[in-house]
């Protein structure tokens, strides 16, 4: 929240706080290890679930039921824009961004085709400069590898 005094100086700086996470989310190994180390403290790590888990965490933050939402920067910016809360909630810090992946089930017969369509579509968006426009639409910083 804007009035928060929390500063992020590595994972240990989060020890005194209640964290909001998303059940089943693929966090990095350092984050998962940190969550496990905090699990002995009741309520230290609270997992939201369901289709609106990210929004649930933001609402819990607003209600001061948690102190920190653990989320990918671009995803959080998108959610805050959607919920019109960019003026109420601030970014206090982050770990280096891991890559985010899209998965296609090998159990489905057309998975390889869909994965290739996805890759080709992203390549075309990069080439045309449309990927940069998409990032800009959501107020996201355009990573170098997304530029044409």
């Amino acid at each position: 929240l804007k009035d928060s005094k929390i500063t992020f100086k590595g994972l240990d700086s989060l020890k005194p706080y209640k964290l909001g996470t998303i059940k089943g989310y693929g966090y990095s190994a350092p984050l998962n290890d940190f969550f496990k180390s905090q699990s002995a403290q009741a309520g230290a790590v609270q997992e939201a679930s369901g289709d609106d888990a990210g929004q649930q965490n933001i609402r819990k933050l607003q209600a001061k039921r948690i102190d920190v939402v653990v989320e990918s920067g671009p995803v959080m910016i998108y959610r805050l824009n959607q919920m019109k809360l960019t003026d109420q909630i601030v970014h206090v810090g982050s770990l280096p961004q891991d890559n985010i992946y899209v998965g296609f089930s090998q159990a489905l017969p057309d998975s390889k085709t869909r994965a290739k369509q996805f890759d080709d579509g992203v390549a075309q968006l990069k080439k045309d400069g449309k990927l940069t426009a998409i990032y800009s639409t959501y107020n996201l910083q355009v990573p170098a590898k997304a530029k044409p």
Side-chain angles (χ1 to χ4, degrees), residues 65-84:
R65 291 174 34 219
I66 59 174
D67 304 304
V68 175
V69 174
V70 181
E71 182 59 270
S72 164
V75 173
M76 188 66 168
I77 291 168
Y78 172 77
R79 286 194 174 120
L80 292 175
N81 281 323
Q82 291 297 107
M83 297 173 76
K84 300 186 182 351

Side-chain angles (χ1 to χ4, degrees), residues 113-129:
T113 301
R114 290 189 184 268
K116 181 167 179 3
Q117 289 171 333
F118 180 83
D119 289 343
D120 291 348
V122 171
Q124 187 64 44
L125 289 171
K126 278 169 124 173
K127 182 179 173 186
D128 296 345

Side-chain angles (χ1 to χ4, degrees), residues 36-125:
K36 285 177 191 169
S37 76
Q38 296 301 104
S39 63
Q41 298 177 30
V45 179
Q46 299 179 24
E47 290 184 313
S49 62
D51 292 339
D52 67 342
Q55 290 87 342
Q56 287 176 46
N57 278 335
I58 292 168
R59 288 192 296 273
K60 288 198 287 187
L61 181 67
Q62 287 180 293
K64 299 187 179 188
R65 291 174 34 219
I66 59 174
D67 304 304
V68 175
V69 174
V70 181
E71 182 59 270
S72 164
V75 173
M76 188 66 168
I77 291 168
Y78 172 77
R79 286 194 174 120
L80 292 175
N81 281 323
Q82 291 297 107
M83 297 173 76
K84 300 186 182 351
L85 295 173
T86 55
D87 61 333
Q88 295 177 35
I89 297 174
V90 295
H91 180 260
V92 297
S94 59
L95 294 173
Q97 178 69 46
D98 281 345
N99 291 325
I100 297 176
Y101 299 94
V102 176
F104 297 88
S105 171
Q106 292 182 356
L108 301 175
D110 62 346
S111 293
K112 287 184 180 178
T113 301
R114 290 189 184 268
K116 181 167 179 3
Q117 289 171 333
F118 180 83
D119 289 343
D120 291 348
V122 171
Q124 187 64 44
L125 289 171

